[in-house]
Amino acid sequence: MDDTPLLEMNAVSKKFTSKSSELEILNQADLCINKGETMAVVGASGIGKSTLLNIIGTLDKPDSGSLMYKGQDLFSYGDEKLAGFRNRKIGFVFQFHYLLQGFTAFENVLLPGLIAGKSKKTIEKYAANMLERVELGSRFDHRVEELSGGEQQRVAIARALVMNPDILLADEPTGNLDQKNSDSVHRLLLDLNQELGMTIIVVTHNAKLADMMNRKVTLKEGRIIPA
Ligand SMILES: Nc1ncnc2c1ncn2[C@@H]1O[C@H](COP(=O)(O)OP(=O)(O)OP(=O)(O)O)[C@@H](O)[C@H]1O
Ligand SMILES: [Mg+2]
């Protein structure tokens, strides 16, 4: 059996320095996640959870350390190869969802597929399906600025899922949602994990969501430890 972890972060360090201060966010941090696992990252505001997720999602580089995906060193990839990897394998739900203003919900969800060069018909089918699953079937043609905060968050979730990524990285995916919509997003995440074996790393202050994950970790003194 192949027991190579899906993702392995080794001795990753990350500092932010400015004239007046030096912030040590990660200090030789290690993390290992297997295919199909679900993990919650909890911890105080400003401790570095989004920074960690950005590094795992290859959007930011650490000062030192390595990140392996199925045994391959991701930071040895050139920019273009890394962008392709991110597009195909990683779904990202950002804390501040970064949808394209002026475009419709549907267009926003189509975008990752169009970037990947998928056929329009295929990607339209997936995008419609994902918008239905986040209960936005009646909002396809609304532009982003015509949607509520919670609806925008759900469009961002649909966009992250449209390429059927190996790994979903979600930064406070239910931060703007009411109880009912939070519950339905929680259910969607668990369904995707069970149906597709999608690996999920979620940053959350929502105790209910954190408890649903297989594992809970926290950041402390730059390390990732069991919560
Ligand atoms: N690009 C940057 N330059 C300088 N400092 C940064 C940068 N990005 C983040 N920081 C700092 O690093 C620390 C960790 O930020 P991060 O966004 O990772 O925290 P967080 O745990 O996600 O917080 P929250 O729960 O509030 O979202 C913060 O103190 C922040 O000010
Ligand atoms: Mg954050």
Side-chain angles (χ1 to χ4, degrees):
M1 209 182 89
D2 182 8
D3 54 6
T4 311
L6 184 66
L7 207 72
E8 198 176 2
M9 212 178 82
N10 288 309
V12 161
S13 297
K14 179 77 179 174
K15 277 185 189 152
F16 290 117
T17 38
S18 68
K19 264 187 215 147
S20 57
S21 70
E22 185 173 85
L23 288 172
E24 190 168 68
I25 304 293
L26 297 171
N27 180 16
Q28 304 267 319
D30 300 316
L31 181 70
C32 187
I33 188 155
N34 291 312
K35 180 161 172 42
E37 256 194 299
T38 59
M39 190 175 83
V41 181
V42 300
S45 176
I47 205 82
K49 304 178 299 296
S50 295
T51 306
L52 170 67
L53 223 54
N54 285 341
I55 290 174
I56 296 174
T58 74
L59 289 166
D60 198 0
K61 286 199 172 158
D63 302 324
S64 58
S66 66
L67 182 69
M68 315 292 279
Y69 173 81
K70 295 184 178 169
Q72 289 207 32
D73 180 0
L74 288 175
F75 292 124
S76 73
Y77 288 12
D79 287 348
E80 204 170 317
K81 191 170 173 193
L82 203 56
F85 167 80
R86 214 182 290 128
N87 176 241
R88 284 190 313 279
K89 303 292 186 192
I90 298 199
F92 220 118
V93 181
F94 295 96
Q95 189 167 13
F96 309 101
H97 35 69
Y98 300 128
L99 296 172
L100 286 181
Q101 304 287 317
F103 290 85
T104 66
F106 192 52
E107 288 164 340
N108 268 276
V109 179
L110 286 178
L111 203 64
L114 297 179
I115 289 172
K118 294 236 175 213
S119 92
K120 202 161 171 237
K121 224 171 165 177
T122 310
I123 199 69
E124 280 180 353
K125 206 173 87 191
Y126 283 148
N129 178 258
M130 276 305 159
L131 280 172
E132 298 281 356
R133 289 192 80 160
V134 295
E135 289 166 46
L136 286 175
S138 59
R139 296 286 189 283
F140 278 40
D141 297 324
H142 278 57
R143 285 201 303 274
V144 167
E145 53 276 24
E146 297 164 351
L147 296 170
S148 75
E151 286 168 348
Q152 292 182 31
Q153 190 98 1
R154 284 183 283 148
V155 174
I157 292 167
R159 178 186 58 184
L161 294 171
V162 76
M163 291 289 287
N164 185 18
D166 274 2
I167 309 167
L168 179 70
L169 303 174
D171 201 345
E172 295 286 3
T174 54
N176 292 322
L177 302 183
D178 60 17
Q179 188 69 47
K180 176 175 164 283
N181 281 309
S182 293
D183 287 346
S184 92
V185 166
H186 296 169
R187 223 173 309 118
L188 172 65
L189 296 181
L190 290 183
D191 286 351
L192 289 163
N193 173 251
Q194 271 150 30
E195 277 170 36
L196 308 169
M198 194 179 285
T199 307
I200 299 176
I201 303 179
V202 63
V203 168
T204 187
H205 285 111
N206 184 312
K208 230 164 122 182
L209 177 56
D211 286 340
M212 287 177 183
M213 301 291 117
N214 303 142
R215 243 199 313 160
K216 248 197 292 189
V217 298
T218 187
L219 292 185
K220 197 169 178 194
E221 288 161 8
R223 304 286 179 111
I224 299 161
I225 57 170

